[in-house]
Amino acid sequence: MSGTSTLQKGLSQRQLSMIAIGGVIGAGLFVGSGVVIKNTGPGTFITYALAGALIIMIMRMLAEMAVANPSTGSFADYARNALGNWAGFSIGWLYWYFWVIVVGFEAIAGAKIVKYWLPSAPIWLTALLLLIAMTATNLFSVSSFGEFEFWFASIKVAAIIVFLGAGSCYVLGLWPNKSMDFSNLTAHGGFFPLGSAAVTVGVVTVIFSMVGAEIATIAAAESTDPERAVAKAANSVIMRIAVFFVGSAFLLVTILPWNGNQLAASPFVSAFTAMGVPYADHIMNAVVLTAVLSCLNSGMYTASRMLFVLAARREAPAQLVSVTRRGVPAAAILTSSVIGFLGVIASAFSPEFIFKFLLDSSGAVILFVYLLIAISQIVLRYRNGDGHLKVKMWLFPVLSIVSAIAMAAILAQMFIQGGDNRRALLLSLLSWAVVIGLFFANRWFVSRRPVPEVIAPTERPHRVLVLANETVGSEELLDELRAIGADNATTYHVVVPVSPIETGAAASHGPLDVWEATKILAQQRLDQTLAALHSANLEADGKLGDYRPLRALAAAVAEFEPDQIVIATEPPEQSIWHRFDVVDRARADYHVPVTNVIAMAPAEEPVA
């Protein structure tokens, strides 16, 4: 347990850059764009531009917060800091729920594509095999996820670039036996055949096809340079959306009539076929399969990291914070994978009831997340100012407020449209209400615990056990020891729980190195506490304990047999231990005086 250990990061800048570039390019663009064109007309590219502008604003606000405070929990932590624990808890769980449902959905989508080449293959079995393959990729190592995602994203980006190049040549008359032709923009009922309002209505559909840009801010915590990675990802999203989405949509409606039957499947296949490209269906199906596997791979990664963060914040079972020797949160990955498996099974046995319910109940969750990102950025910017910011939201507060209003308007539009959109919104709101209900139910349950009787010391203590959280080395601790009558004749034993959240390591490190960082920080705090006691000429020793404070305390009590326990914590509004009643539960469990000293921790050197 050395304080000089070198911490490793699992994602290279090359991998993270491609994850950021390919993050928003999914099957929704390759296949779903046909639905948007049918419902909007030639003005589809304006719809993509409007939705893209909103995503760019959200990413810029997220970048401002993420560069200032890179975190594996990312926007869940920012919502927690801005709005309270209920916001971090609910957004973390809802975002995890969204991605585990997406994982199951994408596995089924991939299986349907495979069926194009293997007609007799059962969809549910193929989906399970794809899900198992991507789970194995994530379980092996962080870098294996990054490498797979690098190549998946490369194929998607290459396909889009080829389409943009070939499509531009086709419409500009640089294609063999083809003259310049933009007639499809107006020849079939005009530029707005369904009315100009259809352009804004289509934003509801389009914005879901752009989901995934925020993954880069979560992955950045496991990169070699988190601040630079987040800033670069946020800046590049502008070009990605402008070129890949708006450019592709413009070429599709220029090459194909918006009301043609060719759009029933993938409009990209139809466009390549119209240009005379041989085997277009096989080529694009392979590309779409790559996009699906990419989404499946990154969805598994994202869900597991959010579950890891929830466990690290004591808002999920503590066992989920464990990692393998390769720094992979295997328990969190397998838990997320199991939910994905259940989704695949539900699609096979109850596609119109259970599976549809799962899809609808997570349908609007990502919009809730984006809305809270905007609100969190506004709150934190007003609270903390902008003097320390390296990346700033443009034209604050105007664009931030406009973005929040626009996101709320999209949610309202889902309700107004009715049908599946309204059902998805209402069920997603129900999901959010259930999660918030669980948060407050837990708070209520904890508050109902009987307050244990405080045992007052009857004589001067001889053996004092100090359970130290983040207040080690403080004058307040020494003052408390003097107040209870401890002196130079007293023996002291200090135990510091090796906890990722209580040391602060979980807020700044990913699964790959969080435990090593935790041990370093915990050792530093133990050394500082002992140094403070020794400076007062007190006889003291100590050790690191279990990451669960009550278990660390139980082991220390059994070994040291104290006649007084002192628990050092942060102020109640900041303390995880107070939230979980560590002090009161210690008083209930042990028949010795238990006192709580509250102080702020001394400044520490950050762990790189």
Side-chain angles (χ1 to χ4, degrees):
M1 192 168 306
S2 168
T4 59
S5 299
T6 302
L7 301 177
Q8 302 296 318
K9 295 292 186 177
L11 294 174
S12 66
Q13 191 63 44
R14 168 184 67 89
Q15 291 170 335
L16 195 68
S17 296
M18 192 54 73
I19 290 171
I21 292 173
V24 294
I25 305 174
L29 172 62
F30 292 111
V31 180
S33 51
V35 176
V36 181
I37 293 171
K38 278 284 188 181
N39 294 333
T40 306
T44 292
F45 67 93
I46 299 177
T47 301
Y48 274 92
L50 292 173
L54 187 54
I55 293 294
I56 289 168
M57 296 300 106
I58 297 297
M59 278 298 293
R60 185 70 182 187
M61 287 185 279
L62 184 55
E64 177 182 297
M65 296 182 289
V67 171
N69 181 27
S71 165
T72 312
S74 191
F75 35 83
D77 283 343
Y78 310 142
R80 186 190 316 277
N81 294 337
L83 304 172
N85 287 324
W86 70 269
F89 178 91
S90 61
I91 289 305
W93 275 110
L94 284 174
Y95 194 68
W96 173 80
Y97 179 59
F98 171 80
W99 278 109
V100 293
I101 299 302
V102 167
V103 162
F105 175 78
E106 293 293 339
I108 295 165
K112 290 180 178 179
I113 296 170
V114 171
K115 197 173 181 66
Y116 181 80
W117 295 295
L118 302 173
S120 60
I123 289 179
W124 69 270
L125 179 59
T126 306
L128 287 178
L129 292 175
L130 292 176
L131 193 50
I132 290 171
M134 292 301 99
T135 300
T137 298
N138 275 267
L139 283 173
F140 186 72
S141 70
V142 179
S143 59
S144 68
F145 154 76
E147 198 61 26
F148 269 84
E149 195 59 23
F150 174 83
W151 290 107
F152 285 155
S154 297
I155 293 172
K156 291 189 291 184
V157 171
I160 292 292
I161 291 174
V162 168
F163 173 73
L164 291 173
S168 297
C169 291
Y170 186 82
V171 300
L172 292 174
L174 303 177
W175 197 258
N177 303 317
K178 182 70 173 64
S179 59
M180 184 182 298
D181 185 5
F182 291 88
S183 61
N184 280 327
L185 293 176
T186 56
H188 305 278
F191 190 69
F192 295 118
L194 302 176
S196 58
V199 172
T200 57
V201 171
V203 172
V204 174
T205 304
V206 170
I207 201 163
F208 286 105
S209 69
M210 296 182 177
V211 169
E214 72 285 347
I215 292 176
T217 64
I218 295 176
E222 296 186 68
S223 70
T224 53
D225 188 353
E227 291 186 8
R228 178 169 173 264
V230 171
K232 187 173 182 180
N235 291 331
S236 65
V237 76
I238 301 173
M239 187 59 66
R240 281 181 278 148
I241 288 176
V243 174
F244 295 151
F245 280 91
V246 180
S248 296
F250 176 78
L251 288 174
L252 286 173
V253 296
T254 305
I255 295 171
L256 303 169
W258 71 272
N259 55 353
N261 294 328
Q262 308 99 305
L263 296 172
S266 170
F268 285 83
V269 172
S270 300
F272 276 124
T273 301
M275 288 186 283
V277 176
Y279 305 109
D281 52 347
H282 290 282
I283 295 171
M284 286 310 302
N285 269 320
V287 171
V288 174
L289 179 60
T290 300
V292 166
L293 293 178
S294 171
C295 189
L296 181 56
N297 191 39
S298 59
M300 183 68 68
Y301 172 87
T302 305
S304 65
R305 268 45 179 190
M306 190 57 73
L307 195 56
F308 170 86
V309 166
L310 286 166
R313 272 85 174 146
R314 298 286 182 85
E315 294 173 340
Q319 293 81 356
L320 295 173
V321 82
S322 61
V323 297
T324 66
R325 291 183 179 180
R326 294 178 178 270
V328 173
I333 291 173
L334 290 173
T335 301
S336 302
S337 179
V338 166
I339 305 302
F341 286 146
L342 293 177
V344 170
I345 293 171
S347 74
F349 295 98
S350 184
E352 296 302 321
F353 182 67
I354 297 178
F355 188 62
K356 182 172 175 55
F357 173 82
L358 291 174
L359 288 179
D360 288 342
S361 64
S362 65
V365 161
I366 196 64
L367 299 182
F368 300 156
V369 171
Y370 288 163
L371 178 59
L372 280 180
I373 287 174
I375 295 173
S376 299
Q377 186 267 335
I378 294 169
V379 171
L380 292 176
R381 180 72 169 268
Y382 274 121
R383 180 188 300 168
N384 301 327
D386 61 359
H388 63 291
L389 297 177
K390 298 179 181 178
V391 174
K392 298 180 182 179
M393 177 60 181
W394 306 296
L395 296 178
F396 181 84
V398 175
L399 287 183
S400 296
I401 295 173
V402 168
S403 299
I405 293 173
M407 194 60 66
I410 291 176
L411 292 169
Q413 184 64 47
M414 290 182 68
F415 183 83
I416 294 170
Q417 285 181 351
D420 287 343
N421 281 334
R422 179 180 294 178
R423 173 183 166 87
L425 173 63
L426 295 178
L427 287 178
S428 296
L429 285 171
L430 176 62
S431 298
W432 197 356
V434 168
V435 171
I436 293 177
L438 290 174
F439 173 79
F440 285 104
N442 178 67
R443 293 278 297 270
W444 174 79
F445 177 77
V446 168
S447 68
R448 288 181 68 249
R449 290 175 180 159
V451 178
E453 179 184 356
V454 178
I455 301 175
T458 57
E459 58 182 24
R460 179 170 302 205
H462 300 288
R463 298 174 67 80
V464 175
L465 173 60
V466 178
L467 183 69
N469 186 12
E470 297 190 5
T471 58
V472 295
S474 65
E475 280 300 318
E476 290 89 344
L477 177 57
L478 293 175
D479 289 343
E480 177 67 20
L481 295 177
R482 297 186 189 103
I484 64 176
D487 56 20
N488 292 357
T490 305
T491 302
Y492 302 87
H493 181 70
V494 180
V495 60
V496 176
V498 184
S499 168
I501 180 57
E502 288 146 11
T503 59
S508 56
H509 290 75
L512 185 65
D513 58 12
V514 67
W515 281 105
E516 188 170 357
T518 300
K519 290 176 183 177
I520 292 173
L521 288 170
Q523 185 66 48
Q524 288 175 353
R525 290 188 174 146
L526 177 60
D527 293 342
Q528 289 167 353
T529 305
L530 293 175
L533 295 176
H534 292 157
S535 69
N537 297 317
L538 303 178
E539 181 185 344
D541 64 6
K543 65 191 300 183
L544 299 181
D546 192 280
Y547 67 93
R548 292 158 291 194
L550 288 173
R551 293 202 179 188
L553 179 60
V557 168
E559 177 184 350
F560 185 64
E561 298 181 348
D563 53 23
Q564 176 90 37
I565 297 174
V566 174
I567 301 179
T569 69
E570 293 181 291
E573 64 275 9
Q574 302 173 20
S575 173
I576 294 291
W577 287 8
H578 276 278
R579 179 147 57 95
F580 287 90
D581 293 333
V582 168
V583 176
D584 283 345
R585 292 168 72 179
R587 286 172 176 157
D589 292 342
Y590 306 106
H591 298 292
V592 299
V594 177
T595 59
N596 176 210
V597 54
I598 295 175
M600 296 306 296
E604 295 174 351
E605 292 297 322
V607 178

